[in-house]
Amino acid sequence: GHRACSMMRIMPGSTSTKLTYEDFLLLPDDGRRHEIIDGEHYASPSPKTKHQSISALLITAFRNFLREHPAGHAWAAPLDVVFSDTDVVEPDLVYVSNGRAAIITEQNIQGPPDLVVEIISVGSRRTDEMIKRKLYERFGVGEYWIIDPTLETVKVYRRVEGAFVRAEELTAEAEDTLTTPLLPGLRIDLREMFASL
C-alpha cells in the first residue's frame, strides 16, 4: 500500500486525491488523533490533562447512568466513527441508543451516532466548531456537544427538521447543568466537570 502522505500529493491537471478509510488505516499510530474529513487528513496532538479529566468524568457519568438505565452504549476516544469512505473521525465521546445499535460493529461505528461530544483543544476550535459541526449535521447525528475547557462552556446543537439548531450555551460560571432529551435523568454539573483534574 502507499504511504498515506503520498496520497496527499496533487496530481497534475486533476484535483487532489481524496484519502479513504483504507488510507486512514495506514496512518501512523503516533499518539496523535488522525481523522479524515471529506478526504482531507486532520491530525491533532495527544490531549492535555484537563481534556482527559473532562473526558473521564463524562464517560463515567454516561456509563454509570446507562448501567441503571440501559438505553444504549457510550464510548470515549479512540473509536472510529465511519460516515463514508472519505469521512472517518474519532470523537471524544459517542453515544448510540439501542434503537440505532445496528451501526455498531466489532471494529467501529458505521453511521451517525445519536450523540457526539468533542472537547476543544488548542488548535481544534475551527475543526470542532465549523468543519465537524457541518459533517455531523450532514450525516444525521442527533445531538452534538462542543465542550470548551478554556472558556468553561458547552454549546449544545440538536437536530430540528434535519438541521442543527444551537439549543443551549451553558457555562460553569452560571452553575449550569448539562442534560439531554436522549437520556432523561442524566445530569452533568458543569462546575464539577471543569474543576475535575
Side-chain angles (χ1 to χ4, degrees), residues 4-132:
C5 54
S6 70
M7 299 296 291
M8 294 296 282
R9 68 183 184 271
I10 294 176
M11 302 296 286
S14 76
T15 54
S16 60
T17 308
K18 285 194 175 190
L19 294 183
T20 65
Y21 189 47
E22 204 177 315
D23 301 309
F24 174 82
L25 296 173
L26 299 173
L27 293 169
D29 188 4
D30 56 4
R32 297 189 301 168
R33 180 183 313 190
H34 294 275
E35 301 179 298
I36 294 174
I37 301 173
D38 194 22
E40 280 195 45
H41 177 211
Y42 292 78
S44 43
S46 48
K48 299 204 164 36
T49 48
K50 187 157 187 177
H51 179 290
Q52 291 302 75
S53 301
I54 292 167
S55 174
L57 183 140
L58 274 178
I59 194 63
T60 303
F62 269 79
R63 291 236 166 111
N64 288 345
F65 183 84
L66 291 168
R67 199 173 297 130
E68 300 289 315
H69 314 273
H73 304 272
W75 297 267
L79 175 69
D80 300 344
V81 177
V82 182
F83 289 113
S84 77
D85 200 35
T86 52
D87 296 282
V88 186
V89 291
E90 285 190 2
D92 288 305
L93 186 139
V94 173
Y95 166 71
V96 177
S97 65
N98 289 336
R100 299 189 47 72
I103 67 172
I104 303 165
T105 74
E106 197 177 332
Q107 232 185 336
N108 51 39
I109 307 288
Q110 298 193 355
D114 296 74
L115 171 71
V116 170
V117 181
E118 296 284 6
I119 303 164
I120 288 177
S121 53
V122 178
S124 80
R125 184 178 301 276
R126 183 175 171 272
T127 309
D128 291 336
E129 296 222 13
M130 304 280 295
I131 296 165
K132 283 191 176 173

Side-chain angles (χ1 to χ4, degrees), residues 124-165:
S124 80
R125 184 178 301 276
R126 183 175 171 272
T127 309
D128 291 336
E129 296 222 13
M130 304 280 295
I131 296 165
K132 283 191 176 173
R133 178 164 57 84
K134 286 177 180 160
L135 175 80
Y136 296 151
E137 184 175 45
R138 189 165 95 239
F139 281 103
V141 171
E143 190 167 326
Y144 177 34
W145 299 355
I146 302 176
I147 298 180
D148 188 326
T150 309
L151 299 178
E152 299 197 341
T153 60
V154 182
K155 288 178 186 163
V156 176
Y157 291 91
R158 292 200 180 106
R159 179 168 295 279
V160 177
E161 293 173 4
F164 273 164
V165 169

